[in-house]
Amino acid sequence: MLIKIGFDLEFEVAAPTPMILLLFIHPSRRADLRSKERLTLHPDIPVARYTDLFGNICGRILAPAGRVRLSLDTVIEDSGQPDRQPLDVLQHRVEDLPDETLAFLLPSRYCEVDKLSDIAWKLFGASEPGWKRVQSICDWVNQHVTFGYQFADPTKTAFDVYQQGKGVCRDFNHLAATLCRCMNIPARYVSGYLGDIGIPPPDAPMDFSAWFEVYLGGKWHTFDARFNVPRIGRILMAVGRDAADVAMTTNFGSAILKKFVVITDEIPAPKLPEAKRSKRMLVKTRRKNQAIRQPR
């Protein structure tokens, strides 16, 4: 399946302001791009790219005072399959984990492992280790946290979500990722595109999405405590310890968001012209008739 992805963002900048942009497709999905990923800026200013500590592709700009517009439009190929659910993957002992996964067991800005550890063991200590334990955590978060855009708060942490029982997609996944870390399962926070493919379209406008990944059986696996069902068409952009590591834009000065449009739409398969369809059906019919006439 082909998916059209992109965005159109506009900021009002008070004075020349440095910005970091995490608006590019993650290296693990770049081979799936089917058109050039070109970030367009107006006014036309240079973008310096670099790779951060987590392997994400970042851009650096010096935004001039006034209106600054960032846009991108590209096409990516996806399997069209829902999130994999290998139920038999095992949970690693901490001493057997690869070095690079250990950071995703520790507390971070929005994931207070120290505050939630005792709570997590009381809730999930009796659950079966591995996939089923992570799924039980997602089930609990999904059932105990109420979703609402009015609950969005950029300072809200996993412990806040646990206490308040309400939030947006990032809050669901901050809490679930933190509870996984408490149970010695490496969990990292993820941002990317997630279109309304295979589900009824919601009333809200399209947005970037957040989910999380856990390290089980030697691989990273996708989970989403907000929706808590396998989804089609996740396009990974950035990974980190929490939302502080994968912010789409980080500005070092005043930059007020004035426009925010995100695109992630399945591209319908091209339909054959009527003449070609008729010819194809005629060939199939002839082959079928020939097969019927063959002596047995």
Side-chain angles (χ1 to χ4, degrees):
M1 123 181 343
L2 295 178
I3 302 175
K4 180 180 180 180
I5 56 174
F7 53 81
D8 190 355
L9 312 178
E10 193 168 317
F11 295 88
E12 181 72 40
V13 181
T17 301
M19 298 180 72
I20 297 175
L21 315 174
L22 266 74
L23 295 169
F24 304 98
I25 297 302
H26 192 265
S28 63
R29 293 301 306 269
R30 299 196 68 78
D32 297 324
L33 287 168
R34 294 298 173 262
S35 64
K36 188 174 181 179
E37 183 192 46
R38 186 177 66 177
L39 177 63
T40 302
L41 289 90
H42 183 79
D44 187 12
I45 55 178
V47 180
R49 294 197 186 193
Y50 71 96
T51 302
D52 69 9
L53 296 173
F54 302 101
N56 305 311
I57 298 175
C58 307
R60 295 180 63 178
I61 65 171
L62 179 60
R67 291 275 178 145
V68 178
R69 182 182 179 191
L70 302 88
S71 60
L72 186 145
D73 185 349
T74 189
V75 175
I76 194 166
E77 184 171 351
D78 191 73
S79 68
Q81 299 299 313
D83 303 324
R84 295 178 63 251
Q85 292 186 297
L87 306 181
D88 58 344
V89 291
L90 301 177
Q91 180 175 333
H92 299 272
R93 297 182 301 176
V94 173
E95 59 266 34
D96 296 330
L97 286 167
D99 297 342
E100 62 271 17
T101 67
L102 297 178
F104 301 105
L105 290 175
L106 305 177
S108 59
R109 166 69 178 86
Y110 292 102
C111 299
E112 308 107 315
V113 176
D114 47 348
K115 289 186 178 181
L116 285 163
S117 184
D118 289 344
I119 295 168
W121 280 98
K122 288 177 182 177
L123 289 172
F124 309 109
S127 61
E128 183 178 337
W131 186 278
K132 291 184 179 180
R133 175 166 285 171
V134 180
Q135 187 58 60
S136 67
I137 289 172
C138 287
D139 292 342
W140 189 92
V141 173
N142 184 266
Q143 293 163 13
H144 287 79
V145 180
T146 300
F147 178 86
Y149 290 108
Q150 69 273 25
F151 304 138
D153 179 352
T155 67
K156 187 181 293 186
T157 68
F159 189 68
D160 294 333
V161 181
Y162 172 77
Q163 290 185 311
Q164 298 171 15
K166 55 189 179 182
V168 292
C169 63
R170 71 179 243 160
D171 302 316
F172 280 72
N173 291 298
H174 274 152
L175 178 55
T178 304
L179 293 172
C180 286
R181 293 182 197 178
C182 292
M183 304 304 295
N184 296 330
I185 302 170
R188 63 188 188 184
Y189 184 88
V190 172
S191 66
Y193 295 93
L194 178 59
D196 306 317
I197 300 173
I199 65 167
D203 295 332
M206 183 55 60
D207 195 352
F208 292 116
S209 191
W211 58 95
F212 74 105
E213 296 177 341
V214 298
Y215 191 83
L216 296 171
K219 293 181 179 180
W220 290 100
H221 300 274
T222 296
F223 282 87
D224 188 339
R226 159 71 175 97
F227 294 105
N228 205 30
V229 293
R231 292 286 298 272
I232 297 171
R234 293 186 195 272
I235 310 299
L236 180 63
M237 295 175 73
V239 302
R241 293 165 298 185
D242 55 37
D245 293 329
V246 302
M248 297 301 175
T249 61
T250 301
N251 48 284
F252 300 89
S254 175
I256 301 172
L257 184 63
K258 292 293 186 178
K259 183 179 181 181
F260 183 86
V261 177
V262 177
I263 303 166
T264 172
D265 297 321
E266 179 183 1
I267 299 176
K271 294 182 179 180
L272 287 171
E274 187 63 36
K276 289 187 178 180
R277 287 205 303 270
S278 300
K279 184 177 180 180
R280 180 173 290 184
M281 290 300 296
L282 179 60
V283 171
K284 288 183 177 179
T285 302
R286 285 176 177 171
R287 288 176 178 170
K288 182 178 180 181
N289 291 339
Q290 288 173 356
I292 293 173
R293 290 195 298 268
Q294 289 295 327
R296 295 181 182 274

